[in-house]
Amino acid sequence: ESAKQESIDTIIQFSEAKKAGYVDRVYVTGCLSERYKDELQEGIPEVDAWFGTRDLPRLLKTLRADYKKQLVGERLLTTPAHYAYLKIAEGCDRPCAFCAIPLMRGKHVSTPMEDLVTHAQSLAANGSRELILIAQDLTYYGLDLYKERKLAELVDRLSDVEGIDWIRLHYAFPTGFPMDVLDVMARKSNVCNYLDMPLQHASDEMLRAMRRGITQEKMDR
């Protein structure tokens, strides 16, 4: 709630700046407008447009910008030049009781493997040496697009990108984790023996209440 209020306060601040003539337009994008757009529109009418987490084409059209497929991978890094985050999917299909991500980000949508390889090549060409793979759920990658888990194949292909010295995996879900990823780790020297996997709890009762879909026994394996 505090993060939500902080965001609303910032929107109001810029809305007041618009009233005072300091800014011409106020656009809001991201998780907040994805989940609370209707009530925010009613409460803060000074905002010119609201964009959800999947509204990039509409945002660019509003800004009179042109999205070109050949520019996939072109981006301004906010990290040091030697590493970059590579988001491989958006959204989540998990029903965890404590999490609002599916409400704000929608269902899991994998980015096509070819686009990710192109993106990685562009990052490497611009000096990135380490890729940190992220998503709301790495484990699910490929199920929607290819009808099977494809994380291992993706990591394998990314490891062949010239100039990439390290690949790390963040935010893997324990339930259904594709074990063939470990084979790629063992075989490819630039895939780090590193796996960020939030277990959340060790109590079966709590795991059931959280709807994590796993037990302590399965985690111990």
Side-chain angles (χ1 to χ4, degrees):
E1 283 299 318
S2 60
K4 176 184 175 183
Q5 189 57 52
E6 182 180 348
S7 297
I8 291 173
D9 290 344
T10 301
I11 296 168
I12 292 173
Q13 177 186 344
F14 280 97
S15 297
E16 293 298 324
K18 178 185 174 184
K19 287 180 183 178
Y22 294 115
V23 296
D24 294 328
R25 299 278 191 277
V26 176
Y27 299 128
V28 179
T29 183
C31 295
L32 189 76
S33 54
E34 177 74 30
R35 187 174 183 186
Y36 301 107
K37 177 182 175 182
D38 292 341
E39 61 186 85
L40 289 170
Q41 275 183 318
E42 183 177 347
I44 316 176
E46 295 81 10
V47 172
D48 294 278
W50 303 82
F51 302 94
T53 56
R54 301 177 190 272
D55 283 342
L56 178 60
R58 188 167 67 88
L59 172 60
L60 292 175
K61 185 176 181 180
T62 301
L63 296 174
R64 298 180 182 176
D66 186 17
Y67 178 80
K68 294 182 173 62
K69 183 72 172 178
Q70 60 266 35
L71 294 181
V72 169
E74 297 293 330
R75 59 189 264 204
L76 178 65
L77 290 181
T78 57
T79 58
H82 65 279
Y83 74 89
Y85 293 99
L86 181 61
K87 195 167 199 176
I88 69 170
E90 184 66 270
C92 184
D93 286 6
R94 307 287 183 178
C96 300
F98 57 89
C99 183
I101 284 176
L103 295 175
M104 294 185 289
R105 295 285 179 176
K107 296 182 72 64
H108 180 101
V109 178
S110 300
T111 300
M113 207 174 298
E114 293 73 18
D115 288 352
L116 292 170
V117 171
T118 298
H119 196 164
Q121 290 169 337
S122 175
L123 290 168
N126 284 289
S128 294
R129 292 294 171 260
E130 178 176 354
L131 296 180
I132 301 173
L133 305 193
I134 60 171
Q136 278 79 33
D137 179 7
L138 288 186
T139 299
Y140 206 86
Y141 180 78
L143 274 175
D144 58 318
L145 201 57
Y146 306 109
K147 309 309 176 189
E148 59 180 318
R149 299 182 194 275
K150 287 284 191 176
L151 182 59
E153 182 179 340
L154 172 63
V155 174
D156 197 15
R157 289 186 60 179
L158 292 174
S159 70
D160 290 334
V161 173
E162 186 175 353
I164 297 300
D165 298 327
W166 301 282
I167 296 175
R168 297 182 193 275
L169 279 63
H170 281 211
Y171 315 135
F173 198 91
T175 304
F177 181 77
M179 299 302 287
D180 51 350
V181 171
L182 302 183
D183 296 331
V184 179
M185 283 184 178
R187 184 163 42 84
K188 293 298 185 79
S189 61
N190 60 345
V191 179
C192 299
N193 295 326
Y194 177 94
L195 186 61
D196 182 279
M197 182 181 287
L199 300 179
Q200 300 291 351
H201 216 281
S203 163
D204 285 348
E205 182 179 357
M206 183 60 70
L207 289 168
R208 280 194 298 273
M210 296 167 78
R211 298 208 295 265
R212 290 291 283 173
I214 197 168
T215 63
Q216 182 181 2
E217 180 183 359
K218 289 181 180 178
M219 287 192 292
D220 289 342
R221 293 176 187 171

